[in-house]
Amino acid sequence: MQFSKLDDINALCRDLPEGDSHAADAAAARQQVLTKPPGSLGRLEGLAIWLARWQGREKPRLERVAISVFAGNHGIAARGVSAYPAEVTAQMVANFSAGGAAINQIAKLAGAELKVEAIELDRPTRDFTAASAMDTDEFLRAFDVGVRSVPDDCDLLAVGEMGIANTTAAAALCAALLGGGAERWAGRGTGVDDAGLARKRATIEAALDFHRGILAEPLRVAAGMGGRELAAIAGSVLAARSRRIPVLLDGFVATAAVLPLAQLAPDALDHCRAGHVSAEAGHRALLRELKLDPLLDLGMRLGEASGAAVAILLLRAALACHNGMATFAEAGVSGRG
Amino acid sequence: MQFSKLDDINALCRDLPEGDSHAADAAAARQQVLTKPPGSLGRLEGLAIWLARWQGREKPRLERVAISVFAGNHGIAARGVSAYPAEVTAQMVANFSAGGAAINQIAKLAGAELKVEAIELDRPTRDFTAASAMDTDEFLRAFDVGVRSVPDDCDLLAVGEMGIANTTAAAALCAALLGGGAERWAGRGTGVDDAGLARKRATIEAALDFHRGILAEPLRVAAGMGGRELAAIAGSVLAARSRRIPVLLDGFVATAAVLPLAQLAPDALDHCRAGHVSAEAGHRALLRELKLDPLLDLGMRLGEASGAAVAILLLRAALACHNGMATFAEAGVSGRG
């Protein structure tokens, strides 16, 4: 999979592989005969069937689970849109390497391999209030980092990010592609005060004005107002789809990153589930726009794939039941009276 | 802890031990210096602090986690209030022993010990539309099964139940103690059809009428309209409190079982968290009455502690972060700008 121009991505989005409906049907039939009232495991049943569909197995497995965290820096950080200085991006990448961050702990608990891709941290994107954040080549290079990051033999992929100021980029992307202005999409991110939130909103409004000529083109918006880590997430989610690997999305930024894919093809995220809904203001609305029903609602707003990683535990619970339970016949339990 | 009359339980509820606020404060302070924006782990932070409070440890542990499932049979099952015949209670207990049920799989995944207590399955409670389900001695005997079931050296207890027809008993208990009639509390349980739901409602209304003289006395209601497995859950939750063991509640029936305790003492459930909100109609309203905010909302409605057991995974995630993350100082990460 090589992309030398934006249209290559457009073309791939028009020709996405479907899941395996035979495996999904077999998994659904199995759920009906396990020793429980049909439907009583709620969303755990649907998750097992969803994994069956994308893995092509009646009994899916989670032997190799990958978590990819992409990191990038943002020119707009200089505008004071975050509660933290830009150098925290690199410092947190070092913290990931040293094993000290939240995602390290949750990944270990969830039995997942954590891979962190720091993308040109020394070259922040340009301030997108008065320029394109990335030119096409820069965008495609970051996208390709994501494409190449997907392990070949992966049963599940969870994607997340780290990047000081990137909730502003994500909000700009949502405002550009879904409307509603900065008011609808800007939130407090890592915890900006009222003045910081006002700066976020002003940054987004300025960007919407500057980029008004490209708002109908999702990939140009992703390049013009996004970030390298967002581009990489989109690349990895698309690459996962081409290999039928199911994906768990993390929070607001990770979901905004794949919004352009959903706009290019309405079924582009069928292989994805939202691991959680974050406390970041725009996430719930964005999930609703994408018809993604989050698995968890714990008020998390950390990023770094932490919410998606917690949701891996739910998938493990779903599969433990799906693969391990006895059937009514096996257990000698009476059916409905 | 021995109870020879209902007033012994009343007395204990007036003298409950508090949590350890020193340990809770230390845990809260630790959350402030871990490498994340304060509050960004959402409810995972509060869960770690809650465990600290009840375990009396700044860094709580989940080495020994117990899941107790209590099973009982119900005279009202003969009224056709369940989609399944009464013998399924014993058959499912056998399935638990054989390791084939959902709870077996989830308990194993969550690293918890599963204990199943089948309480006099050959002696269903009396049909409570025209009698007391249990007399005081029967109630206290079942309560005591729960008291004695709590392991001495337990870091966390999750409680659940199995009992064909017990959502009708739970709904009757809620209607008796909280008002609103059968309409508010009766749901489809394991999946009754419209005729079955009508029979449930009629059963509950008849019971409310028959027991109208005792509705102000929570423990008499628990004996008169409850079930042995509900009494045992109440006993185990009270015994856990006396030893400051934190508790995860399962679904509608398990929550209804502890409602009498909450009515005897408003802080009686401070050591409890609701593992999930089930799809059973009355559960969300009951949790709201008890000011319990559920951790999961996955549409589960199986009972057998399955929702609470999934929530154990969230507690493990909370503690993995709380105990394992680096502080800003340790990691050399800059604080807020």
Side-chain angles (χ1 to χ4, degrees), chain A residues 40 43 83 91 100 191 298 326 336-337, chain B residues 43 83 100 191 298 301 326 334 336-337:
Chain A
S40 62
R43 294 195 66 187
Q91 291 168 347
L298 294 170
R336 296 164 74 92
Chain B
R43 294 195 67 189
L298 295 170
R301 52 178 172 84
S334 305
R336 295 163 74 91

Side-chain angles (χ1 to χ4, degrees), chain B residues 17 34 40 44 52 68 75 78 87 108 126 153 164 166 173 202 215 217 229 270 276 295 299 302 305:
Chain B
L34 298 176
S40 63
L44 297 188
S68 292
E87 58 261 31
K108 188 175 167 191
R126 283 176 285 280
D153 57 344
I164 293 300
N166 71 7
L173 223 153
L215 301 187
E217 295 167 79
E229 73 277 37
D270 284 1
H276 77 135
L295 296 173
L302 176 57

Side-chain angles (χ1 to χ4, degrees), chain A residues 157 159 232-241 247 249 258 261 268-269 271-272:
Chain A
L157 174 67
V159 291
I233 287 171
S236 68
V237 168
L238 190 59
R241 173 58 169 267
V247 171
L249 302 171
V258 298
L261 301 180
L269 304 183
H271 66 308
C272 298

Side-chain angles (χ1 to χ4, degrees), chain A residues 49-324:
Chain A
I49 296 165
W50 169 72
L51 288 170
R53 178 181 301 278
W54 292 100
Q55 292 189 5
R57 295 183 187 100
E58 178 187 344
K59 290 187 172 186
R61 67 184 187 202
L62 289 173
E63 287 166 21
R64 186 160 186 207
V65 178
I67 299 174
S68 292
V69 175
F70 302 97
N73 269 322
H74 296 262
I76 48 156
R79 292 186 165 268
V81 294
S82 174
Y84 290 82
E87 58 261 32
V88 166
T89 304
Q91 291 168 347
M92 283 301 297
V93 167
N95 196 23
F96 298 148
S97 298
I103 189 57
N104 298 99
Q105 323 313 317
I106 305 171
K108 188 175 166 191
L109 177 69
E113 293 168 51
L114 174 63
K115 184 194 284 190
V116 178
E117 301 259 18
I119 314 175
E120 306 187 49
L121 294 189
D122 53 347
R123 295 185 59 230
T125 53
R126 282 176 285 280
D127 181 335
F128 58 65
T129 61
S132 189
M134 294 168 277
D135 63 30
T136 300
D137 282 349
E138 289 171 323
F139 173 78
L140 289 172
R141 201 159 64 227
F143 193 89
D144 192 55
V145 169
V147 169
R148 284 182 293 102
S149 73
V150 180
D152 275 331
D153 57 344
C154 180
D155 299 318
L156 176 74
L157 174 67
V159 291
E161 45 56 50
M162 172 73 218
I164 293 300
N166 70 7
T167 59
T168 302
L173 222 152
C174 291
L177 296 176
L178 296 170
E183 190 73 32
R184 184 178 182 199
W185 300 106
R188 291 186 184 271
T190 51
V192 287
D193 57 16
D194 288 349
L197 183 58
R199 288 191 294 272
K200 277 180 87 157
R201 287 179 175 156
T203 299
I204 293 162
E205 293 297 347
L208 290 171
D209 188 48
F210 179 82
H211 294 279
R212 62 188 176 278
I214 61 166
L215 301 188
E217 294 168 79
L219 294 176
R220 288 190 67 192
V221 168
M225 307 164 81
R228 289 191 171 82
E229 73 277 38
L230 282 80
I233 287 171
S236 68
V237 168
L238 190 59
R241 173 58 169 267
S242 72
R243 297 185 216 167
R244 295 184 174 180
I245 295 169
V247 171
L248 281 176
L249 302 171
D250 192 33
F252 179 57
V253 178
T255 312
V258 298
L259 171 61
L261 301 180
Q263 295 208 324
L264 294 177
D267 67 339
L269 304 183
D270 284 1
H271 66 308
C272 298
R273 288 292 179 268
H276 77 135
V277 55
S278 89
E280 176 64 9
H283 196 208
R284 201 174 296 270
L286 177 57
L287 291 174
R288 208 170 293 132
E289 291 272 2
L290 292 170
K291 297 182 175 54
L292 288 168
D293 191 9
L295 297 173
L296 292 164
D297 184 1
L298 294 170
M300 296 171 72
R301 52 178 171 82
L302 176 57
E304 63 185 55
S306 55
V310 176
I312 293 169
L313 300 168
L314 300 187
L315 297 190
R316 290 201 181 278
L319 284 199
C321 293
H322 182 79
N323 294 338

